[in-house]
Amino acid sequence: MPRPPARLGPDRTDREGQTGTLTKTRPKTQRPPLYKVIMLNDDYTPMEFVVHVLERFFGMSHAQAFDLMLTVHKKGLAVVGVFSFEVAETKVAQVMDFARRHQHPLQCTMEKE
């Protein structure tokens, strides 16, 4: 019966007198998928409210929030951030809840990047 191959360690010698190094392969870790948070335009939510939402929930400066609000207004929608699934889901829920509590029909969704 043939002998199983000898395992070699750093600077170790096998039974036949040969030296070698045992290497370990590391499994590749993948980054979790990212999700775009998208804000949709409507004809009823005040522009100031949208700016406030962008500042409050997405940490934007007033100027950034104002510019993005105009993009939403002109193009009908805009990506307001890219996050992991859990963060994106939480931000969408926070925006939707905040809008409902203030009786605005503002819509916010998420989709895989």
Side-chain angles (χ1 to χ4, degrees):
M1 180 191 290
R3 248 187 309 185
R7 293 197 172 176
L8 303 177
D11 299 325
R12 296 243 174 117
T13 306
D14 70 3
R15 292 179 190 142
E16 284 88 36
Q18 298 178 357
T19 59
T21 302
L22 180 65
T23 58
K24 293 183 181 179
T25 57
R26 291 185 180 174
K28 280 196 170 187
T29 55
Q30 291 182 341
R31 292 182 181 246
L34 296 176
Y35 290 80
K36 298 183 283 191
V37 175
I38 301 166
M39 192 165 288
L40 306 171
N41 186 45
D42 65 73
D43 294 332
Y44 304 102
T45 304
M47 292 179 174
E48 298 81 25
F49 184 79
V50 175
V51 170
H52 178 69
V53 165
L54 292 170
E55 291 171 344
R56 179 173 178 162
F57 296 106
F58 297 94
M60 295 182 186
S61 69
H62 185 75
Q64 290 171 318
F66 188 82
D67 288 345
L68 198 54
M69 175 275 298
L70 286 178
T71 301
V72 172
H73 181 68
K74 291 176 183 175
K75 295 188 176 184
L77 59 86
V79 174
V80 296
V82 179
F83 308 96
S84 67
F85 177 82
E86 292 81 10
V87 173
E89 184 178 50
T90 300
K91 292 211 180 269
V92 168
Q94 288 173 329
V95 169
M96 296 294 288
D97 182 55
F98 190 70
R100 297 299 156 265
R101 283 185 298 162
H102 288 86
Q103 300 178 351
H104 295 299
L106 182 64
Q107 293 292 309
C108 190
T109 63
M110 61 186 264
E111 66 181 44
K112 201 169 189 175
E113 188 175 45

